[in-house]
Amino acid sequence: MTRSAPDSCPGVLRLHQAADGPLARIRLPGGRLRPDQLLTLAEAARDLGDGRIELTSRGNVQLRRIGDAEELAARLGAADLLPSRTHERVRNIVASPLSGRFGGVADIRELIPRLDDALRAAPDLAELPGRVLFTLDDGRGDVSGLGGDLGIHAVSAQDYALLLGGRDSGVRVPDVRAVEVLLAAAHEFQHLRGEQWRLHEIPDGPARIVAALGLEPTTELLEPFAPQDIPIGWFDQDDGQVSLGAGVRLGALPARTAEFLAAADRPIVVTPWRSLALSDLDEWAAEQVVRVLAPMGLIFDAASPWLLVTACAGQPGCAKSRTDVRADVADAVTEGRISPDGTPQPKQGLSTAEITVPGRQHWSGCDRRCGRPRGHVTDVVAAPDGYRITPPGVG
Ligand code: SF4
């Protein structure tokens, strides 16, 4: 594929002109946020935007309808949320959100700032496409299956598989060399890519990078990585503390809810499933968080129908949308028309009130289906004659 348009991924310094106003995307390497940074985002959303923080499928956040871009950049800069004006759009790093708390075979937390620092210190990598995604998986397999370009996957506490184009390259690297090898692979991708934005678009791209770096693949490759459940609810950490996984309705966090979350004063991770993880709580504090924030709309029940649905921006944020899909899907959830069980059937020409869909589903305002999650998902798409339902594997 040859690109005819320039990479237009938005950032803080280059806003996207959405139909409902300027949109800013703020990169959060590893999805990590300090409580004071979440508070800054909440205040910016309320003072300068539409009052909500949108969570993205790369563990970043977006603010819509920004009225004063300079003021936003100043506030984010003061909160360490804009550490580079040259590299802001290339800091796309997803990492296992609960690494080091429980599960996994390695603790990848230290690798996140090391990779971010190394990226920002490489002048030519400022020209990486904004769509390039780095993945750091602690071995549990939660982020290696997200279609990254350059990644590592722990195979032991000290050793990582190098992933290229989302698949095991066969190369193994010790933890002390993981960031160095990822950076070298990023440089080589930049050298090879021409007009391409993603590594999988380059013929034999992974093999060419391995050869150019003089790396030696092993013969045993890891299996492709399957999608995993979103971490929702109460999790006991190895150190006796508690992590809470919280779902966010349609990935839009109201500023007021964010302020209450920040008041818990614990580390926060925005996950690539548009949810949150709040960690290092004692049991009493965890119970208080659930007691206060569940009535405000955060989801701590893994069986909630809200966790089955995702939606694109729709109207009024996107001029291509045929309807306000987010309002339509919200109606379907609150009216009990979304259920976990059953077999979805293909249908078309449906009014909003006629839609009843079981299982995981993505609602879109047109056929582009922006933001569709990977995996087994039914499509609910607004067509000229009404909604069309397409189960996975059909059409
Ligand atoms: S799927 Fe269509 S309507 Fe929805 S955000 Fe993308 S372009 Fe807009």
Side-chain angles (χ1 to χ4, degrees), residues 229-241:
D229 289 339
I230 306 173
I232 295 293
W234 183 289
F235 299 95
D236 294 323
Q237 298 180 187
D238 294 342
D239 63 0
Q241 299 188 92

Side-chain angles (χ1 to χ4, degrees), residues 266-334:
R266 288 292 181 273
I268 298 142
V269 174
V270 177
T271 81
W273 308 284
R274 298 187 173 96
S275 65
L276 299 165
L278 187 66
S279 293
D280 302 346
L281 298 147
D282 63 38
E283 291 199 5
W284 181 86
E287 287 169 0
Q288 300 313 304
V289 167
V290 174
R291 189 178 63 78
V292 172
L293 290 173
M296 296 181 76
L298 285 192
I299 299 158
F300 298 98
D301 175 5
S304 169
W306 284 106
L307 300 176
L308 296 172
V309 297
T310 52
C312 77
Q315 289 180 1
C318 177
K320 294 189 176 68
S321 184
R322 297 191 170 99
T323 182
D324 184 346
V325 281
R326 299 171 75 85
D328 290 349
V329 70
D331 286 347
V333 173
T334 54

Side-chain angles (χ1 to χ4, degrees), residues 23-377:
L23 176 151
R25 184 174 299 161
I26 300 118
R27 267 65 180 188
L28 307 176
R32 303 201 310 179
L33 272 174
R34 301 191 310 257
D36 65 292
Q37 292 176 318
L38 180 59
L39 190 59
T40 295
L41 288 170
E43 290 171 349
R46 191 184 56 229
D47 299 346
L48 309 171
D50 72 352
R52 299 175 306 160
I53 302 168
E54 285 188 349
L55 315 183
T56 81
S57 62
R58 292 181 161 198
N60 294 319
V61 294
Q62 296 180 164
L63 301 180
R64 285 187 171 272
R65 293 168 55 192
I66 293 300
D68 186 338
E70 281 188 25
E71 173 67 13
L72 176 67
R75 290 190 188 194
L76 297 180
D80 305 325
L81 286 166
L82 184 58
S84 168
R85 298 181 74 85
T86 51
H87 289 66
E88 65 145 333
R89 296 185 316 120
V90 303
R91 303 169 66 229
N92 295 303
I93 303 171
V94 297
S96 299
L98 292 164
S99 189
R101 265 79 188 207
F102 64 90
V105 298
D107 184 346
I108 48 81
R109 286 178 294 180
E110 277 193 11
L111 294 178
I112 301 168
R114 282 174 49 200
L115 176 57
D116 184 29
D117 290 347
L119 261 177
R120 288 190 280 120
D124 55 330
L125 294 184
E127 303 304 322
L128 276 176
R131 285 170 172 74
V132 168
L133 179 64
F134 292 85
T135 59
L136 306 176
D137 195 307
D138 70 0
R140 74 184 77 202
D142 55 352
V143 301
S144 287
L146 296 176
D149 297 275
L150 307 158
I152 52 164
H153 181 103
V155 293
S156 74
Q158 283 86 36
D159 294 292
Y160 291 91
L162 175 67
L163 308 189
L164 296 172
R167 291 181 175 268
D168 184 7
S169 67
V171 172
R172 301 293 178 262
V173 292
D175 54 355
V176 293
R177 291 198 60 217
V179 168
E180 167 197 334
V181 171
L182 277 175
L183 256 284
H187 280 287
E188 197 55 36
F189 167 68
Q190 182 69 347
H191 174 68
L192 283 178
R193 75 178 183 88
E195 299 295 313
Q196 313 297 0
W197 290 341
R198 304 296 306 271
L199 177 52
H200 68 80
E201 296 169 351
I202 300 175
D204 297 324
R208 290 163 72 186
I209 287 178
V210 168
L213 298 182
L215 299 169
E216 289 289 334
T218 64
T219 52
E220 297 240 339
L221 297 185
L222 299 174
E223 294 290 323
F225 305 97
Q228 299 209 353
D229 289 339
I230 306 173
I232 295 293
W234 183 289
F235 299 95
D236 294 323
Q237 298 180 187
D238 294 342
D239 63 0
Q241 299 188 92
V242 174
S243 284
L244 291 173
V248 176
R249 295 179 182 190
L250 299 178
L253 182 67
R256 184 81 179 130
T257 310
E259 287 170 347
F260 273 82
L261 255 179
D265 201 22
R266 288 292 181 273
I268 298 142
V269 174
V270 177
T271 81
W273 308 284
R274 298 187 173 96
S275 65
L276 299 165
L278 187 66
S279 293
D280 302 346
L281 298 147
D282 63 38
E283 291 199 5
W284 181 86
E287 287 169 0
Q288 300 313 304
V289 167
V290 174
R291 189 178 63 78
V292 172
L293 290 173
M296 296 181 76
L298 285 192
I299 299 158
F300 298 98
D301 175 5
S304 169
W306 284 106
L307 300 176
L308 296 172
V309 297
T310 52
C312 77
Q315 289 180 1
C318 177
K320 294 189 176 68
S321 184
R322 297 191 170 99
T323 182
D324 184 346
V325 281
R326 299 171 75 85
D328 290 349
V329 70
D331 286 347
V333 173
T334 54
E335 292 168 10
R337 290 186 276 116
I338 306 299
S339 59
D341 304 315
T343 305
Q345 301 297 327
K347 292 179 184 165
Q348 58 188 8
L350 301 176
S351 70
T352 307
E354 291 175 307
I355 298 175
T356 303
V357 189
R360 290 185 68 210
Q361 54 200 270
H362 182 69
W363 291 49
S364 308
C366 79
D367 282 311
R368 287 183 66 176
R369 302 181 296 170
C370 300
R372 186 183 192 277
R374 300 168 75 85
H376 208 67
V377 176

